[in-house]
Amino acid sequence: MSGIVFKKTKDLEQISNFYQNVIGMELWQDQDKCKIFEKGNLQLGFCEGDEIDNDGIITFYYNNKKEVDKLYNNGKLEVIEEPKENDKFNIYQFFAKDPEGRTLEFQTFLHNINPFLTGKELLLERRSYREYSEKEIPEEVINKVIDISRYAPTSMNSQSYYFKFIRDEELICDLASIRKTASEPIKKAPMAVAICSDNEQSNRYQQDADIAAYHFMLAARLYNLGTCWIADMDRESIKRKLDIPVDHYIATITPLGYIKDEKDAPSRKDPSKFIR
């Protein structure tokens, strides 16, 4: 189920400009005298009226403190108070006003929360991380990531892929040294994951594992876990270390850990450059 919060406004043009250009929401539906804006999972509608609805608080939450501070420092908001940690709710927040006096809250949770990214955000925000927090990953979270990853498509629904979790510190350091700087991120996380496939279960077992690996990385990102695709790990010497049959295929061995610092998206070519 989805939902929209509607508010009445006396100046639809001004409010539209504010929520699009200052807050960064996108226009989702234009219904003439009502406009619906969208940011992440929040859909907010404003309709022309003879009065203003400004009861309650409109809250926007972000991935981290950096994103909250960016809003605070943009100089376009009527800020009520500076950002601070709220120990009662374990959040980092500040408050501001919109042009018609509505109270806006900008916050980030200081503890891990259940997935909230939309499909678009997930695809846009996946990154390759090479530094990780030392915090251990609960088994419950790992199980949730695998539960999503098992829906990766395979040839003839062979489901030929599997995940091998590596927690032994000595083995992790050994794997991290195999390709020198290219594989070094493996030892920066509390664990690594070899994403493999069984050649006897599928005629397209390599593609199966490659797709499953990317599916796994997206699922991990939902739970604020970082990954990094380490290529060229499909080697007999590695398979012996990990007790993986020689004929099986290793798509990647990725580090897996909680994200230490968010990364900005690298530059991308214009969309037209990708069409030929």
Side-chain angles (χ1 to χ4, degrees), residues 68-160:
V68 174
D69 288 338
K70 184 177 180 180
L71 263 295
Y72 175 75
N73 292 317
N74 71 8
K76 299 177 181 179
L77 291 171
E78 182 187 339
V79 174
I80 299 174
E81 58 181 27
E82 63 183 17
K84 63 181 180 182
E85 293 189 6
N86 183 328
D87 294 333
K88 181 178 180 181
F89 299 108
N90 200 22
I91 60 176
Y92 179 73
Q93 65 184 159
F94 78 91
F95 293 91
K97 293 284 188 180
D98 80 1
E100 292 184 317
R102 298 178 188 85
T103 300
L104 308 179
E105 178 188 22
F106 302 90
Q107 71 163 63
T108 185
F109 293 93
L110 299 178
H111 56 279
N112 293 319
I113 60 175
N114 287 328
F116 65 88
L117 297 175
T118 63
K120 178 181 178 180
E121 288 177 318
L122 178 62
L123 293 172
L124 290 176
E125 294 184 16
R126 193 217 64 81
R127 305 277 185 273
S128 293
Y129 292 92
R130 294 172 174 81
E131 297 287 341
Y132 302 86
S133 163
E134 295 180 358
K135 181 180 176 181
E136 292 296 320
I137 307 170
E139 200 67 29
E140 176 188 5
V141 172
I142 292 175
N143 290 337
K144 288 178 178 179
V145 171
I146 293 298
D147 189 41
I148 296 173
S149 300
R150 67 192 176 98
Y151 285 91
T154 52
S155 175
M156 304 293 290
N157 194 30
S158 63
Q159 301 178 51
S160 65

Side-chain angles (χ1 to χ4, degrees), residues 9 11 75 81 104-105 168-169 187 197 218 220 227:
T9 175
D11 194 334
E81 58 181 27
L104 308 179
E105 178 188 22
D168 181 80
E169 188 174 344
K187 69 179 181 181
S197 57
L218 291 175
T227 57

Side-chain angles (χ1 to χ4, degrees), residues 38-72:
E38 181 178 61
K39 186 174 182 64
N41 288 314
L42 175 63
Q43 290 184 324
L44 186 58
F46 289 95
C47 297
E48 289 184 349
D50 296 328
E51 55 186 30
I52 297 171
D53 285 337
N54 55 14
D55 294 335
I57 299 173
I58 300 173
T59 297
F60 298 89
Y61 60 91
Y62 298 83
N63 290 327
N64 51 64
K65 286 184 175 182
K66 181 180 178 181
E67 293 181 9
V68 174
D69 288 338
K70 184 177 180 180
L71 263 295
Y72 175 75

Side-chain angles (χ1 to χ4, degrees), residues 162-178:
Y162 59 93
F163 307 92
K164 193 173 186 71
F165 288 83
I166 307 155
R167 297 176 173 85
D168 181 80
E169 188 174 344
E170 184 176 343
L171 182 53
I172 285 175
C173 289
D174 189 11
L175 293 170
S177 67
I178 289 175

Side-chain angles (χ1 to χ4, degrees), residues 227-276:
T227 57
C228 183
W229 190 289
I230 308 297
D232 194 22
M233 300 297 276
D234 184 44
R235 307 182 183 198
E236 287 190 19
S237 59
I238 293 177
K239 292 172 184 176
R240 287 194 294 269
K241 295 176 190 293
L242 299 179
D243 194 26
I244 293 172
V246 174
D247 292 336
H248 288 196
Y249 170 69
I250 301 176
T252 183
I253 298 179
T254 176
L256 182 69
Y258 282 107
I259 295 169
K260 188 174 182 180
D261 294 306
E262 287 287 350
K263 298 174 61 175
D264 293 331
S267 61
R268 287 288 189 271
K269 295 183 290 186
D270 185 90
S272 63
K273 302 294 184 181
F274 293 92
I275 302 173
R276 298 187 182 183

